[in-house]
């Protein structure tokens, strides 16, 4: 997150990314409905000025907490500060808000990946999230936390599990839900197929192919990938926020929703995500992709024809030798 700023004087969000083109055509004045308040996840109260904090207390009805560091090899203290401390700050802002109706924490499908079968519930951790946050300068405690975290594959999934436990403790204050998406990747349909602005997750694999670092990969095109398009996740976050408000659950309840797509295959990845990465991330002309595909198909046709003819000649010779 960027450093703290005062409320923008024009109360608008200025973005030139093509992801907003469709919205701008439908509602040219959509920016007038957006108020931007920038903060820093690593600092207390997001390093917000008093005016910004007061504005949030007075006008916040729904909180969708999505921000996090998604680096798998993030240093433990930094991962705790951002993913756990940032979540606590968001929860505290929600607790202070005068009319909060719904809080959605976006976690990950892998927050409890050490378990073979993961249920739709919060799994308890054998350490106190609040105690960890209060003693980040205690080297012995941090070393104990690092040892305990070894059953998680990385600091990202571990700190997400801690944040889920912390979120559970606030359910008596306001309606809360947790969304667990799997690996998020390029959009499938909205706002346009293949849109992306990062190289995390499955998209990162493409970078290796793109730069020639990965020359060959053994891939079954019909195998399902454990990923979910970003537009599916965005729609799910909004829907969960609405449902959490509508249901008005009792303080002891907390809804937890998995979010994945069992129909996304490698074939679909190459058809949608790869062209999207080239167009929206690398800003390349897709005509080059089409030309490359045509050239590759011609080469495949030539190779297959030659192989077919070669095998046919061998079989014909064997026939004459044997008969």
């Amino acid at each position: 997150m960027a450093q703290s700023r005062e409320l923008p004087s024009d109360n608008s969000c200025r973005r030139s990314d093509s992801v907003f083109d469709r919205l701008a055509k439908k509602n040219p004045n959509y920016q007038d409905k957006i108020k931007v308040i920038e903060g820093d996840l690593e600092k207390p109260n997001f390093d917000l000025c008093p005016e910004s904090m007061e504005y949030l207390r007075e006008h916040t009805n729904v909180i969708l907490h999505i921000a996090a560091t998604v680096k798998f090899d993030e240093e433990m203290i930094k991962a705790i500060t951002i993913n756990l401390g940032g979540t606590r700050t968001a929860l505290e802002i929600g607790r202070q808000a005068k009319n909060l109706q719904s809080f959605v924490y976006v976690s990950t499908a892998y927050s409890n990946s050490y378990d073979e079968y993961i249920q739709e519930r919060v799994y308890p951790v054998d350490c106190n999230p609040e105690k960890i946050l209060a003693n980040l300068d205690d080297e012995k405690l941090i070393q104990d936390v690092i040892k305990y975290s070894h059953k998680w594959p990385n600091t990202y999934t571990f700190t997400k599990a801690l944040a889920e436990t912390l979120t559970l403790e606030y359910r008596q204050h306001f309606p809360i839900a947790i969304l667990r998406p799997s690996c998020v990747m390029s959009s499938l349909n909205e706002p346009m197929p293949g849109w992306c602005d990062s190289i995390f997750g499955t998209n990162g694999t493409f970078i290796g192919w793109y730069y020639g670092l990965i020359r060959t990969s053994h891939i079954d095109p019909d195998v399902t990938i454990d990923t979910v398009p970003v537009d599916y996740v965005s729609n799910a976050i909004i829907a969960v926020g609405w449902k959490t408000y509508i249901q008005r659950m009792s303080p002891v309840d907390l809804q937890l929703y998995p979010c994945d797509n069992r129909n996304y295959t490698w074939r679909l990845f190459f058809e949608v995500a790869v062209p999207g990465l080239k167009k929206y991330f690398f800003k390349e002309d897709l005509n080059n992709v089409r030309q490359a595909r045509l050239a590759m198909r011609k080469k495949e046709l030539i190779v297959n024809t030659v192989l077919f003819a070669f095998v046919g000649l061998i079989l014909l010779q064997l026939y004459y030798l044997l008969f």
Side-chain angles (χ1 to χ4, degrees), residues 2 13 17 20 22 31 56 58-59 69 108 121 132-133 137 165 200 202 205 208 215 237 251 265 271 285 307 313 319:
C13 177
D17 198 305
F20 296 101
R22 179 177 170 184
Q31 294 175 333
L56 292 175
E58 293 290 337
H59 297 90
T69 172
T108 172
R121 64 181 179 87
I132 294 174
L133 287 172
D137 56 349
T165 300
F200 291 106
T202 313
T205 306
R215 298 300 181 91
I237 292 171
T265 62
E271 290 177 355
D285 186 355
L307 286 175
L313 287 173
Y319 177 81

Side-chain angles (χ1 to χ4, degrees), residues 100-135:
L100 187 70
Q101 304 296 323
S102 175
F103 186 104
V104 179
Y105 172 59
V106 180
S107 183
T108 172
Y110 312 105
S111 57
N112 302 284
S113 55
Y114 56 83
D115 207 337
E116 184 176 0
Y117 299 102
I118 303 173
Q119 301 177 13
E120 295 174 12
R121 64 181 179 87
V122 175
Y123 286 70
V125 293
D126 294 332
C127 50
N128 188 319
E130 291 285 3
K131 182 179 179 181
I132 294 174
L133 287 172
N135 296 277

Side-chain angles (χ1 to χ4, degrees), residues 35 40-41 66 94 99 101 122 130-131 137 142 162 184 187 201 206 209 212 221 225 228 261 265 310-311:
K35 189 181 294 290
D40 190 333
L41 284 171
I66 308 169
N99 192 31
Q101 304 296 323
V122 175
E130 291 285 3
K131 182 179 179 181
D137 56 349
I142 296 302
L162 288 175
V184 183
S187 63
F206 173 75
W209 297 328
I225 317 174
V228 57
N261 181 10
T265 62
F310 180 71
V311 172

Side-chain angles (χ1 to χ4, degrees), residues 61-177:
N61 302 114
V62 178
I63 293 179
L64 310 175
H65 182 51
I66 308 169
T69 172
V70 297
K71 291 177 62 177
F72 290 168
D73 59 348
E74 189 71 86
E75 187 265 335
M76 179 62 79
I77 292 181
K78 186 171 184 178
I80 290 174
T81 301
I82 295 175
N83 291 349
L84 181 59
T87 301
R88 183 181 63 177
T89 300
L91 289 164
E92 280 297 315
I93 290 175
R95 190 174 64 84
Q96 297 173 28
K98 295 182 178 180
N99 192 31
L100 187 70
Q101 304 296 323
S102 175
F103 186 104
V104 179
Y105 172 59
V106 180
S107 183
T108 172
Y110 312 105
S111 57
N112 302 284
S113 55
Y114 56 83
D115 207 337
E116 184 176 0
Y117 299 102
I118 303 173
Q119 301 177 13
E120 295 174 12
R121 64 181 179 87
V122 175
Y123 286 70
V125 293
D126 294 332
C127 50
N128 188 319
E130 291 285 3
K131 182 179 179 181
I132 294 174
L133 287 172
N135 296 277
L136 288 178
D137 56 349
D138 187 333
E139 294 184 7
K140 183 180 182 305
L141 175 64
I142 296 302
Q143 288 303 316
D144 291 339
V145 170
I146 292 174
K147 290 179 182 178
Y148 173 69
S149 70
H150 284 168
K151 67 178 181 178
W152 281 267
N154 47 60
T155 57
Y156 168 67
T157 54
F158 171 62
T159 52
K160 282 292 188 177
L162 288 175
E164 285 189 6
T165 300
L166 182 66
T167 301
L168 188 65
E169 297 175 1
Y170 279 76
R171 66 188 185 278
Q172 71 270 20
H173 299 298
F174 41 77
I176 293 180

